[in-house]
Amino acid sequence: ADYGDYDVTLEAPAAYAVEATGVRVSDQKIKKGYRRYRYRIGDVHDFAWLAAKGAKRIRRKAGKVQLQLLYFEHDPAAARRHLDIMAKSVDRLQRWYAPYPYPVLTNILVPSKDAALPAAGMEYPTFFTSHTEEVFFLERFGALNTTVHELVHQYFYGLVASNEYREPWLDEGFTTYVTGQILDDLYGRGKSAGEIGPLRA
């Protein structure tokens, strides 16, 4: 994917939550029941967006990065766990590797209804999808692991810029390795993925 600058305008029913790669620079009513949103971002390799009914939004800062998470029918406590592990992962990636260069990072927890679940586990610049579809005692191994994995793709290949098409082992290999590093640091190296335990600070 070639890197470039995006300036994208989206129009959607006002009842829909809208999110996209980059920073929302305007939000205006255009006619009854519709809104127009404009997003800008520079030096990224792709663009993705979402428009959906029923989304709830929570936010948190991780240094200079505005984290946000959209969720649907999910348990609010589970959504907060995903936002928490996002903040802790961004902190470690910035300390261990490099500053995250974009001002925003959005995670969409894909709803399990209406055959949407296969869309969970995708990465785009400043924007990725995950899910909560695990029994609680396997959450670390499944759903939270997916959130960390897709977030790490912001670096590999997002910032490192390896060729995802020709050498996919580079982005998936590095991402899987660093995901393991983060989860070991958060939960402890000697812990089984099935063990329940609090996250470290």
Side-chain angles (χ1 to χ4, degrees):
D2 294 330
Y3 283 71
D5 298 342
Y6 287 80
D7 187 333
V8 178
T9 299
L10 304 167
E11 295 180 2
Y16 283 53
V18 172
E19 269 310 327
T21 294
V23 177
R24 183 185 290 182
V25 295
S26 69
D27 172 358
Q28 63 186 103
K29 181 178 179 180
I30 52 173
K31 57 185 176 181
K32 186 175 181 180
Y34 283 84
R35 301 192 72 82
R36 177 179 293 145
Y37 307 91
R38 186 176 181 186
Y39 287 83
R40 285 182 182 164
I41 191 72
D43 203 19
V44 295
H45 55 78
D46 206 349
F47 185 91
W49 60 278
L50 163 92
K53 279 186 176 180
K56 301 167 188 170
R57 186 189 316 263
I58 51 177
R59 293 187 173 100
R60 183 180 303 178
K61 292 286 280 189
K64 296 180 180 179
V65 184
Q66 175 67 67
L67 304 178
Q68 57 180 352
L69 183 142
L70 273 67
Y71 66 102
F72 295 84
E73 83 282 7
H74 311 91
D75 175 12
R80 289 191 297 271
R81 289 194 295 274
H82 281 262
L83 188 61
D84 190 42
I85 207 167
M86 284 176 65
K88 289 173 167 55
S89 298
V90 168
D91 170 68
R92 280 151 179 81
L93 287 165
Q94 294 197 111
R95 287 193 284 113
W96 296 348
Y97 295 101
Y100 185 68
Y102 308 115
V104 64
L105 180 58
T106 300
N107 180 9
I108 309 297
L109 291 182
V110 174
S112 58
K113 299 175 182 176
D114 304 321
L117 193 57
M122 291 298 297
E123 73 275 1
Y124 306 94
T126 80
F127 184 99
F128 67 94
T129 65
S130 186
H131 65 92
T132 64
E133 298 305 305
E134 302 291 348
V135 294
F136 180 74
F137 70 90
L138 289 177
E139 186 179 54
R140 172 191 166 188
F141 181 73
L144 291 177
N145 178 84
T146 301
T147 286
V148 176
H149 181 92
E150 301 309 329
L151 191 157
V152 173
H153 271 304
Q154 297 295 313
Y155 283 70
F156 310 99
Y157 69 111
L159 301 183
V160 173
S162 57
N163 190 316
E164 187 185 31
Y165 174 72
R166 293 187 182 274
E167 297 181 294
W169 68 273
L170 283 172
D171 60 291
E172 290 300 338
F174 278 112
T175 294
T176 299
Y177 174 74
V178 174
T179 298
Q181 281 189 314
I182 290 171
L183 292 175
D184 280 351
D185 194 60
L186 290 175
Y187 291 97
R189 286 181 180 271
K191 296 276 188 182
S192 162
E195 288 185 68
I196 300 171
L199 289 178
R200 296 178 182 178

